[in-house]
Amino acid sequence: MLSKVNSAAPWGIDGYIVSVETDVSNGAVAFDIVGLPDAAVKESKERVRSAIRNSGFSFPTKRIVTNLAPADTKKEGAYLDLPISIAILSSTGQIRCDDKNEYLFLGELSLDGEIRKAHGVLPMTVTARDNGIKKIILPMENAEEAAVVSGVDIYPAKTLREVCDHLNGKSPIKIHKSDISGVFVQSKEYANDLCYVKGQENVKRALEIAAAGSHNCLMIGSPGSGKTMLAKCLPSILPDLTFEEALEITKIYSIAGKLPAGKALIDERPFRNPHHTISAAAITGGGSVPKPGEISLAHRGVLFLDEFPEFPKSTIDAMRQPLEDGCFTVGRVAGTFTFPSETMLVASMNPCKCGYFGDPSGKCNCSPNEIQRYLGRISGPMLDRFDIHIQVPTVDFDSLSSDIRSESSGTVRERVNKAREIQLERFKGKEIFSNSQLNQADLENFCQLDSTCKELLRQVFERMGLSARAHSRIVKVSRTIADLDGKDRIDATHIAEAIRYRSLDRKFWFNKQ
């Protein structure tokens, strides 16, 4: 007898519908799964056989063929255990349910019939809704995650027996409801606060601008000047997430299997801080069946790279295209996968190998060639990806010993939120969340400059030999500074401040000493 049930599989950070077709017929006893299953799917034969028997059902001693359609797309993972079991039980008449095709089934089975948590449930739930499937049976642990998607009824189950009893009408499973307002709660408590950072007011101002417009920034300074501490304070001043942004981030973490336990929705902007030994594939994403890398896990948040020149050159250069395009595309035989990477890149570095080039202490003992060789690990095109360059000076004793607390992160965050609200209102109807995402056409529409601003930019462009990319980034940063000031138009003071954040590459990389 033939039966069909619906399931789904992940594809990049999205999903697609998988039709599980099972035929149970007389003949030599066999159990075959076709449709490009990976090793985990092939092994489901043993899990399904044991789970069905240990749940009190009969496993047929006949010829069983299960096809996973579309047959030309590779299936991976154990989340197809439950739909395969339901299809077999339906084919043998142990489940009698006329409307089973209205459901989508997801979940891995243990040998005793328990349904275990699956990865990537959120994007697969969205796919089910978009394909007209309004009922989903899935593991109890995934209920909150799936319930954030509106327009779908979620039926969480603990065991295969519960699912069968529900389909047979013996013991219906209650629909799981989730209060989105209760799930999407912004956290306001942070371990690191700007009020504890002594001095460095210019750096704090630059980070405020970076947070308001989601601009990439590079911090250069001697060891102990506070670069890492300042970077770790960034989450405390980042703007609140919108629900759409939170959904995007949660889909990525769900696919990667990194969604925190007990959390249905990511409600804080991510802050990723990988070690400098990370590979290019790990930072951008990859694998035989590609998974998101660090640059995608930091989507709508911050990717912090400490000791930037210590990262392998291949890793640094691999980020250039994803940072510029806002996405990373991986091509494999199985297909092409695209992962979003609208990420705010923050990097910190020393100005030379010993770390004291340009420091007032005069401790640097590096030769000019050694300095340029160290700085040369960061290419010119990569430097151009940073909207803001910040020199972090050494803090003097008077500042360190002062009892005066500087402005708190909460106060700064209020200004950042106001600036981001201005941007969201300005870009309403467009897929733009911050000034850093503006393309050339958007710059002409939203960043119009008067003659004074254009003349100032022309002089700087010619004197500093800026690239076209650097010119665009100055205008974007100027737009953010104007938003922080609550101004509709960019004026010369905004341009002048933005230019200040483009000089360090000339100061260090082209210094002949």
Side-chain angles (χ1 to χ4, degrees), residues 178-380:
S178 179
D179 180 11
I180 301 300
S181 61
V183 172
F184 187 55
V185 178
Q186 300 286 342
S187 175
K188 301 297 182 184
E189 296 182 5
Y190 297 92
N192 299 288
D193 195 290
L194 286 177
C195 69
Y196 299 115
V197 179
K198 303 293 185 179
Q200 308 293 17
E201 298 306 320
N202 289 336
V203 182
K204 293 175 188 177
R205 166 65 175 173
L207 290 178
E208 178 183 341
I209 296 168
S214 191
H215 299 291
N216 301 333
C217 64
L218 174 66
M219 294 186 284
I220 306 176
S222 302
S225 57
K227 302 185 296 296
T228 303
M229 183 179 183
L230 284 159
K232 288 181 177 179
C233 288
L234 256 177
S236 67
I237 65 170
L238 292 175
D240 294 334
L241 275 175
T242 64
F243 181 76
E244 291 76 14
E245 289 176 315
L247 207 57
E248 287 181 31
I249 297 167
T250 306
K251 285 173 65 176
I252 296 169
Y253 276 71
S254 178
I255 286 289
K258 295 183 180 294
L259 194 62
K263 207 162 194 177
L265 198 67
I266 300 292
D267 55 12
E268 295 180 11
R269 294 188 182 274
F271 181 86
R272 306 292 298 183
N273 183 13
H275 192 262
H276 64 256
T277 55
I278 191 171
S279 67
I283 208 161
T284 56
S288 56
V289 178
K291 296 292 184 185
E294 288 292 332
I295 199 168
S296 292
L297 292 171
H299 181 64
R300 304 295 183 200
V302 175
L303 176 64
F304 175 51
L305 305 183
D306 203 2
E307 303 295 342
F308 195 39
E310 300 300 329
F311 283 77
K313 194 172 188 303
S314 59
T315 301
I316 294 174
D317 288 340
M319 293 187 292
R320 284 161 50 182
Q321 179 267 329
L323 287 173
E324 191 69 18
D325 296 345
C327 62
F328 178 67
T329 301
V330 187
R332 294 290 185 269
V333 173
T336 301
F337 303 80
T338 299
F339 301 110
S341 58
E342 290 289 352
T343 302
M344 177 181 166
L345 175 64
V346 178
S348 69
M349 61 180 289
N350 298 328
C352 65
K353 189 68 176 176
C354 77
Y356 292 98
F357 173 55
D359 191 81
S361 65
K363 293 181 182 178
C364 182
N365 54 14
C366 300
S367 69
N369 286 338
E370 288 174 329
I371 293 170
Q372 291 306 313
R373 188 159 51 248
Y374 179 78
L375 295 174
R377 297 179 185 179
I378 313 300
S379 65

Side-chain angles (χ1 to χ4, degrees), residues 440-459:
Q440 196 58 43
D442 295 325
L443 285 175
E444 293 180 6
N445 291 332
F446 302 115
C447 303
Q448 296 178 356
L449 305 177
D450 59 26
S451 57
T452 305
C453 292
K454 288 180 179 179
E455 178 58 25
L456 178 58
L457 267 177
R458 186 187 67 79
Q459 294 176 11

Side-chain angles (χ1 to χ4, degrees), residues 133-158:
I133 300 173
K134 305 299 183 182
K135 300 177 181 179
I136 301 179
I137 295 179
L138 42 65
M140 182 69 72
E141 294 176 84
N142 294 115
E144 281 292 328
E145 176 187 350
V148 302
V149 181
S150 60
V152 181
D153 292 335
I154 304 300
Y155 297 85
K158 292 182 179 179

Side-chain angles (χ1 to χ4, degrees), residues 68-85:
L68 307 176
D72 59 348
T73 304
K74 191 173 182 64
K75 321 299 186 305
E76 63 157 1
Y79 43 80
L80 292 171
D81 289 0
L82 179 59
I84 291 173
S85 298

Side-chain angles (χ1 to χ4, degrees), residues 65 87 221 383:
V65 178
L383 276 176

Side-chain angles (χ1 to χ4, degrees), residues 64-109:
I64 304 171
V65 178
T66 296
N67 178 46
L68 307 176
D72 59 348
T73 304
K74 191 173 182 64
K75 321 299 186 305
E76 63 157 1
Y79 43 80
L80 292 171
D81 289 0
L82 179 59
I84 291 173
S85 298
I86 298 300
I88 290 173
L89 293 173
S90 180
S91 292
T92 55
Q94 297 177 78
I95 291 179
R96 295 177 177 86
C97 179
D98 294 333
D99 63 348
K100 68 178 182 298
N101 289 331
E102 296 178 10
Y103 290 88
L104 183 139
F105 301 89
L106 291 170
E108 175 187 346
L109 292 176

